[in-house]
Amino acid sequence: MAAETYNPWTIVNLVFAHLAEQGLHPALGADGHPGEPAAALLRAFGIVPTVEGDARVQAGIHDELAALRARMLGETP
């Protein structure tokens, strides 16, 4: 049986909606990028976050590819 997958932000949103219904005011990433606090929340529920959905990883890949294009093809980033 294949493992079920979910968009991690759907789960984070569900948790935050529940907390807001209880009169709480949750904040995630108030001090920066919310990716790591969101990943910690998912891990607390036993959900293993993957890097495919992490915008920071994707941004790093785009930056690396731009640097490679600049080096190899003389393009300006």
Side-chain angles (χ1 to χ4, degrees):
M1 175 181 237
E4 265 187 274
T5 60
Y6 299 92
N7 179 327
W9 290 108
T10 301
I11 297 168
V12 171
N13 187 49
L14 177 69
V15 170
F16 272 51
H18 175 74
L19 293 173
E21 288 171 2
Q22 303 303 313
L24 301 173
H25 305 284
L28 187 65
D31 296 329
H33 194 283
E36 188 50 42
L41 174 64
L42 293 172
R43 283 191 288 275
F45 285 112
I47 300 167
V48 179
T50 61
V51 297
E52 290 87 14
D54 192 331
R56 294 170 298 169
V57 171
Q58 290 179 3
I61 290 169
H62 289 289
D63 292 344
E64 185 176 345
L65 289 173
L68 285 170
R69 280 193 300 275
R71 245 190 348 251
M72 303 299 277
L73 304 173
E75 295 180 10
T76 55

